[in-house]
Amino acid sequence: MSQDLLDKSYSPEAVEKRWYAYWEQEKLFAADENTTKKTYSIVIPPPNVTGVLHMGHALNNTMQDIMCRYRRLKGDSVLWMPGTDHAGIATQNVVEKKLAAEGTDRHQLGRENFIEAVWGWRKEYGSAIINQLKRLGASCDWERERFTMDDGLSLAVRKVFVQLYDEGLIYQGNYIINWCCRCHTALSDLEVEHEDLDGHFYHIRYPYADGSGSVVVATTRPETMLGDTAVAVHPEDERYADLTAEAVVLPLMNREIPIIRDAYVDLSTGTGALKVTPAHDPNDFDIGARHDLPSVKVIADDGSMTDAAGRFKGMDRFACRKAVVEALEAEGLLERVEPHRHSVGHCYRCKTVVEPNLSRQWFVKTKPLAEKAIQAVETGKTRIIPESWTKTYYEWMVNIRDWCISRQIWWGHQIPAWTCQGCRKLIVAMDAPDVCPDCGSLDLVQETDVLDTWFSSALWPFSTMGWPEQTQLLKNYYPTSVLVTGFDILFFWVARMMMMGIHFMKEIPFHDVYVHALVRDEEGKKMSKSKGNVIDPLSVIDQYGTDAFRFTLAAFAAQGRDVKMSEKRVEGYRHFINKLWNAARFSLMHLEKGFEAIDEKNISLQDRWILSRLNRVARQTEEALDAYKFNEAAGAVYQFVWHELCDWYLEAIKPTLYDKAGEKEKAATLSVLWYVFKEALILLHPFAPFVTEEIWHSLPGTEGSIMQAAWPDHIQPGDDPSAEAQMETVVAVITGIRNVRGEMGISPSTALSVTVHPEEAKTAAVVEDNRDLIANLARLNGITVDTATKRPKAAATVLVNGATIYVLLEGIIDFAQEQARLEKEIGKLSKELSGMNKKLGNEDFLKKAPSEVVDGVRQKHAALLERQHALETTLERIRGMME
């Protein structure tokens, strides 16, 4: 077969475009909703329509694609459900910035026109990340692509809302929520990003109302004290056992507030007295509810102080903090101020400091829903992998708060609730009512708030498959097989899908949850624009090809361990792709047809060995993928293809292929070569889909796409321990001889002679039976198998299992000259190491030099030590041969 079937070098870009178009054209990603096969399904974590492909997406979607391609090869009917999320706050912010650049804003446009503008933006830009996922090779069923605001999902959202409301699981109430003063909306706990910042602890003296003294409380936010409605102490705090005062005078406000006793107060912190501000702290809100305290809101939704703040009204909250501190100091009530580093919440979108604020919002009662979601994991119906995340899941679910689901923005699912302007009746319904059922008024106004983005996302596994209709797709593919996700949305999304899926489908949404780690830079640091260490996946794909990039991600994706990414690593796997390509070109030169069967009677040791290794590697890869051990699966295939297939097998069969064997033996070897290469491509396909498809179509005897091939479940003739043991001996002998060549600086073209002293008869037999193979791969002109124990003169010794090999070097090298050269090089190294030892022993250098410089010196020192040791070992060997 002509090697023109494949170009001399692999060009990823053209290959990737051609085969992705082919896969889509042939509908090879499409799931059959009426299938009778075993099904396998994954729902994609829907990226935001505002998003672009980053390393987290790349890792997450590569893992999903590996599993989907693997399960197709296993014969399953696979559904990988794609789609995007409308991303309420993020998308609204993007469009508002666009409007601002055009000199207008959403309020000038009005709600209806603004929503139309967002839909226009989505149509123009919202598919960018989908196209980028295609570049990654994602084999999603794109014809089923969904959007969290499309008609079907909107219907599902309304049905869930109405049903939960009717069941008493959705309610309206005043509650402490996270409020963004910039975005003017509530945020869930998980939409708040916490950052440690330098601040202060302000110790404030609150006088007892009866004049008997005072108590000191400490706060990081003195501006909130204006809304205090109590001071709390622990009921068992001995310091306050004899306290007779029942109230304190609130500083600056001159109003009395009660002293209450509550077990929430920490006995070990400060004075043991806690200011209680129910309107501005979630824990204080709970205390206030227990003691029936009023809630005084002193910070408005725009971040300014309210009328309830007295003389400070109208001030910005941070300006008020400064003014309150100055006023306390002036009145002698500020006891002291201490530096304090603490965690401060910021809006995950605009980075404004979040204000815990009392607000009337819509909530989901999560406790009843969470109980069944906890039970599903406890009973093993849903597994979380790695198992270490299970404890975190339980902790969060057990301590879950009611979920604030309303957002004060325009882009999103508008809450299906209407208020009658005549009698104030609240109507929650699937469709807009025409008339109030109580008073008959036609003046009905819909709730202006929209639902939290995660509300619609929580329905994703079943709403995307057609629910509330009982579709065939739901019947066959729900529950899904696995959810692949980052730990950062384990609670944002995963827990909520568990709660909603179990409640509405009466079944878990997925059997497995695989939680992958982060992609960091090569030093293990988190990627960030400010550090300048962000790696763009699309740039990497442009430079090295998708397959090399995907293989890198898989190879370093060990469970529970962050992926350290660098372009050097991707470059290393590009070499692997090129190695495969060159091996394919070599093989295709000799393969003119496909083979129906292997001629087991005429195959050689190397043929038997590679078949046995293929069988084991196929099993090993399958077991690793089934356990989500992506790095082990990728490592097994890599080792087999690069080292066993390319480095050993293809080299070992060259004499046979070049007519140095009988026709039967050559035909048998060709059948093995064809079979092994074909099966190796299938094993590689989930990791490197493009190059394997390209080679597949050049391989004789194949039909259709490699995606339609069958996973190599059992390689004939199966495991062959005898062949593996024999080949292990052959490889050890050859490797030992090659090492001597390298250490002694002997050219590969120089033929050597060796004497083998076997310790066992079976080792002697292996060498005798494979002397031609050993001689060819080790470049020998003679092998003597001798049971004598005397070491030949001027010979290098190699120890392998069951034998001692003497490489005869007399007349090959000048021992005296080699000894002098080695001694000179060792002396030179010793001087260099001596200088480095002084540097590394200098405390000033270690303390003052940049860490990267010190690390560089240490690394070079270690490398030189290793080199010195190798040279000294070789020198000892030379001296031994001269004796």
Side-chain angles (χ1 to χ4, degrees):
M1 187 65 66
S2 168
Q3 71 182 76
D4 292 338
L5 284 170
L6 292 178
D7 294 336
K8 284 188 176 181
S9 59
Y10 177 58
S11 302
E13 186 177 359
V15 169
E16 290 165 12
K17 283 181 180 177
R18 181 168 69 252
W19 289 120
Y20 203 91
Y22 167 81
W23 291 330
E24 287 198 285
Q25 179 186 321
E26 296 297 314
K27 301 187 185 303
L28 295 178
F29 304 155
D32 178 5
E33 65 181 37
N34 297 308
T35 187
T36 55
K37 292 181 181 180
K38 181 183 176 184
T39 59
Y40 185 87
S41 56
I42 294 180
V43 290
I44 199 170
N48 292 349
V49 286
T50 58
V52 292
L53 191 72
H54 57 62
M55 276 295 172
H57 291 131
L59 176 64
N60 180 276
N61 287 284
T62 294
M63 288 175 164
Q64 291 177 81
D65 192 56
I66 287 170
M67 294 306 297
C68 288
R69 289 179 184 273
Y70 162 61
R71 296 310 309 187
R72 289 190 191 99
L73 294 169
K74 290 285 289 179
D76 295 355
S77 180
V78 173
L79 169 65
W80 186 7
M81 180 66 77
T84 49
D85 189 275
H86 65 280
I89 296 173
T91 306
Q92 178 155 320
N93 280 347
V94 168
V95 178
E96 285 196 82
K97 285 178 182 176
K98 182 174 180 286
L99 292 175
E102 296 168 358
T104 185
D105 61 33
R106 66 183 168 111
H107 299 289
Q108 292 179 53
L109 282 183
R111 184 165 190 149
E112 192 173 324
N113 290 333
F114 177 74
I115 296 300
E116 191 176 321
V118 181
W119 275 109
W121 181 91
R122 190 255 171 180
K123 186 177 180 181
E124 188 172 355
Y125 300 104
S127 61
I129 195 163
I130 296 298
N131 294 327
Q132 291 165 356
L133 288 172
K134 290 181 178 183
R135 286 208 63 194
L136 191 64
S139 58
C140 297
D141 190 346
W142 295 114
E143 291 189 0
R144 298 187 192 277
E145 182 185 338
R146 303 304 298 269
F147 178 54
T148 49
M149 289 266 296
D150 68 28
D151 290 343
L153 270 68
S154 294
L155 175 66
V157 166
R158 289 199 303 278
K159 181 169 177 59
V160 166
F161 186 95
V162 172
Q163 184 174 327
L164 289 175
Y165 180 82
D166 290 343
E167 292 170 347
L169 293 174
I170 282 183
Y171 65 93
Q172 264 188 306
N174 288 319
Y175 204 82
I176 284 288
I177 47 88
N178 303 296
W179 181 264
C180 177
C181 300
R182 154 66 181 79
C183 297
H184 296 286
T185 186
L187 302 172
S188 73
D189 289 346
L190 298 163
E191 290 170 318
V192 177
E193 294 179 346
H194 289 273
E195 182 183 355
D196 285 342
L197 297 176
D198 289 327
H200 297 90
F201 247 140
Y202 301 88
H203 296 260
I204 306 166
R205 191 171 294 283
Y206 284 49
Y208 292 134
D210 63 5
S212 61
S214 61
V215 64
V216 174
V217 302
T219 180
T220 58
R221 300 194 304 149
E223 68 279 11
T224 64
M225 67 165 291
L226 305 173
D228 287 357
T229 56
V231 168
V233 296
H234 197 284
E236 297 175 7
D237 193 332
E238 294 180 0
R239 289 171 292 184
Y240 300 102
D242 299 326
L243 180 66
T244 57
E246 295 181 353
V248 295
V249 177
L250 180 61
L252 308 185
M253 302 301 288
N254 295 319
R255 70 169 183 265
E256 287 190 15
I257 56 175
I259 298 171
I260 62 174
R261 297 177 189 269
D262 194 281
Y264 172 77
V265 181
D266 187 351
L267 283 166
S268 62
T269 302
T271 63
L274 176 76
K275 63 186 283 298
V276 182
T277 321
H280 296 288
D281 183 278
N283 296 310
D284 292 5
F285 180 85
D286 292 340
I287 295 171
R290 286 195 292 273
H291 295 270
D292 199 25
L293 297 174
S295 293
V296 178
K297 184 170 178 176
V298 293
I299 301 176
D301 292 348
D302 63 358
S304 67
M305 305 307 290
T306 68
D307 290 348
R311 56 179 147 150
F312 302 98
K313 71 177 181 180
M315 297 181 72
D316 173 78
R317 55 182 167 155
F318 297 116
C320 179
R321 177 177 299 176
K322 185 178 179 183
V324 164
V325 170
E326 289 173 352
L328 288 168
E329 195 167 21
E331 294 187 22
L333 295 172
L334 184 66
E335 185 167 277
R336 66 182 187 279
V337 179
E338 295 175 338
H340 177 63
R341 190 166 178 81
H342 62 134
S343 181
V344 178
H346 294 75
C347 173
Y348 79 119
R349 282 299 167 195
C350 71
K351 311 308 176 188
T352 301
V353 172
V354 166
E355 194 64 49
N357 224 336
L358 186 67
S359 180
R360 187 159 181 81
Q361 301 285 344
W362 291 86
F363 295 88
V364 174
K365 288 181 183 176
T366 48
K367 282 284 184 186
L369 301 171
E371 286 168 4
K372 290 181 179 177
I374 292 168
Q375 189 179 30
V377 174
E378 285 178 337
T379 57
K381 289 191 75 177
T382 293
R383 297 187 306 159
I384 299 177
I385 304 155
E387 204 273 334
S388 57
W389 284 106
T390 304
K391 182 182 177 185
T392 312
Y393 172 85
Y394 288 147
E395 286 174 353
W396 193 81
M397 294 295 272
V398 167
N399 298 305
I400 195 169
R401 289 176 178 268
D402 283 359
W403 174 15
C404 176
I405 55 171
S406 45
R407 297 290 181 270
Q408 291 66 49
I409 56 175
W410 289 354
W411 173 242
H413 295 281
Q414 195 168 350
I415 289 174
W418 291 260
T419 301
C420 173
Q421 300 305 293
C423 67
R424 307 310 297 170
K425 178 178 177 61
L426 181 68
I427 306 161
V428 173
M430 288 289 293
D431 300 307
D434 296 321
V435 61
C436 174
D438 281 13
C439 72
S441 172
L442 302 179
D443 191 5
L444 306 175
V445 177
Q446 186 173 0
E447 168 68 73
T448 57
D449 287 358
V450 301
L451 289 165
D452 175 13
T453 295
W454 297 101
F455 189 90
S456 50
S457 298
L459 320 181
W460 189 250
F462 55 94
S463 64
T464 52
M465 295 189 199
W467 187 90
E469 297 295 324
Q470 296 304 308
T471 64
Q472 195 64 29
L473 202 65
L474 264 177
K475 181 180 176 183
N476 273 330
Y477 293 96
Y478 187 94
T480 62
S481 306
V482 61
L483 179 79
V484 179
T485 182
F487 63 83
D488 52 334
I489 56 172
L490 188 58
F491 314 119
F492 263 117
W493 189 45
V494 180
R496 288 164 178 173
M497 283 191 289
M498 287 286 285
M499 292 189 285
M500 294 298 192
I502 293 169
H503 190 72
F504 288 95
M505 296 297 296
K506 310 304 178 190
E507 182 59 275
I508 54 169
F510 18 73
H511 293 292
D512 290 343
V513 177
Y514 178 71
V515 183
H516 62 76
L518 293 172
V519 184
R520 297 182 179 272
D521 71 10
E522 60 187 317
E523 295 177 1
K525 295 175 182 175
K526 187 174 180 180
M527 292 185 187
S528 70
K529 290 180 181 177
S530 61
K531 291 178 185 173
N533 64 345
V534 172
I535 300 174
D536 176 16
L538 296 172
S539 297
V540 174
I541 287 172
D542 287 341
Q543 188 168 357
Y544 300 104
T546 300
D547 290 328
F549 178 52
R550 286 169 57 114
F551 216 103
T552 308
L553 289 169
F556 288 95
Q559 282 187 13
R561 206 160 60 226
D562 289 337
V563 176
K564 293 182 181 179
M565 174 59 66
S566 71
E567 291 198 20
K568 287 180 182 176
R569 286 181 166 174
V570 183
E571 186 177 16
Y573 284 100
R574 182 180 64 178
H575 294 325
F576 172 67
I577 300 299
N578 289 338
K579 181 100 169 177
L580 173 70
W581 184 261
N582 291 331
R585 293 185 75 245
F586 170 79
S587 300
L588 291 171
M589 287 171 59
H590 301 278
L591 293 169
E592 298 180 354
K593 63 172 185 174
F595 292 82
E596 293 182 7
I598 292 169
D599 179 5
E600 293 182 33
K601 292 180 181 178
N602 290 295
I603 59 177
S604 63
L605 170 65
Q606 49 267 41
D607 293 330
R608 289 168 52 211
W609 168 74
I610 199 67
L611 286 168
S612 184
R613 290 298 306 134
L614 175 63
N615 192 45
R616 290 184 190 275
V617 168
R619 191 164 61 238
Q620 188 180 349
T621 306
E622 183 171 331
E623 289 170 356
L625 287 177
D626 287 345
Y628 307 108
K629 295 180 178 178
F630 294 93
N631 63 315
E632 291 184 14
V637 181
Y638 176 92
Q639 168 70 22
F640 175 76
V641 171
W642 184 299
H643 299 294
E644 295 174 334
L645 177 57
C646 297
D647 285 352
W648 286 103
Y649 181 69
L650 293 185
E651 293 301 315
I653 65 173
K654 281 181 178 178
T656 304
L657 298 181
Y658 289 115
D659 299 322
K660 292 183 181 178
E663 285 302 315
K664 287 184 178 179
E665 288 78 9
K666 182 177 179 180
T669 290
L670 284 171
S671 70
V672 172
L673 173 61
W674 177 83
Y675 182 75
V676 170
F677 212 93
K678 176 174 74 77
E679 300 302 305
L681 287 175
I682 295 170
L683 291 178
L684 274 169
H685 177 72
F687 307 96
F690 293 107
V691 70
T692 51
E693 186 76 77
E694 178 78 355
I695 296 170
W696 181 263
H697 285 266
S698 294
L699 191 67
T702 58
E703 293 182 3
S705 168
I706 193 172
M707 287 180 63
Q708 297 166 309
W711 182 264
D713 279 323
H714 185 71
I715 310 299
Q716 295 297 336
D719 290 350
D720 190 338
S722 173
E724 290 193 44
Q726 291 179 61
M727 194 66 182
E728 187 179 329
T729 299
V730 170
V731 168
V733 170
I734 295 167
T735 302
I737 297 167
R738 287 176 173 175
N739 288 343
V740 170
R741 277 187 187 275
E743 290 169 10
M744 300 297 181
I746 301 169
S747 166
S749 61
T750 303
L752 299 174
S753 294
V754 300
T755 298
V756 179
H757 287 231
E759 295 170 11
E760 300 174 354
K762 65 179 182 181
T763 306
V766 170
V767 176
E768 286 285 6
D769 292 345
N770 296 281
R771 60 168 56 242
D772 289 344
L773 175 61
I774 295 169
N776 178 56
L777 294 182
R779 303 289 177 89
L780 304 178
N781 59 15
I783 301 176
T784 303
V785 179
D786 188 352
T787 55
T789 55
K790 186 178 179 182
R791 181 174 73 83
K793 185 182 177 184
T797 305
V798 178
L799 299 176
V800 298
N801 289 338
T804 303
I805 303 162
Y806 297 110
V807 183
L808 309 180
L809 297 176
E810 190 169 16
I812 300 294
I813 63 173
D814 184 324
F815 292 104
Q817 185 179 337
E818 185 65 12
Q819 179 180 358
R821 184 188 70 79
L822 289 169
E823 287 172 345
K824 183 178 179 182
E825 193 167 346
I826 290 168
K828 190 176 170 185
L829 273 177
S830 296
K831 285 183 181 179
E832 195 169 354
L833 281 165
S834 177
M836 281 191 173
N837 286 333
K838 286 180 182 177
K839 189 175 276 191
L840 292 173
N842 185 332
E843 287 298 322
D844 279 349
F845 170 73
L846 296 176
K847 287 178 182 177
K848 295 177 182 178
S851 59
E852 60 269 23
V853 172
V854 176
D855 288 343
V857 173
R858 283 178 174 148
Q859 288 171 14
K860 188 175 180 183
H861 183 264
L864 291 179
L865 273 178
E866 189 176 340
R867 172 70 177 155
Q868 184 186 49
H869 177 70
L871 292 174
E872 286 172 345
T873 301
T874 304
L875 180 58
E876 286 303 310
R877 180 176 278 179
I878 290 285
R879 286 170 176 163
M881 287 186 279
M882 293 174 68
E883 292 174 358

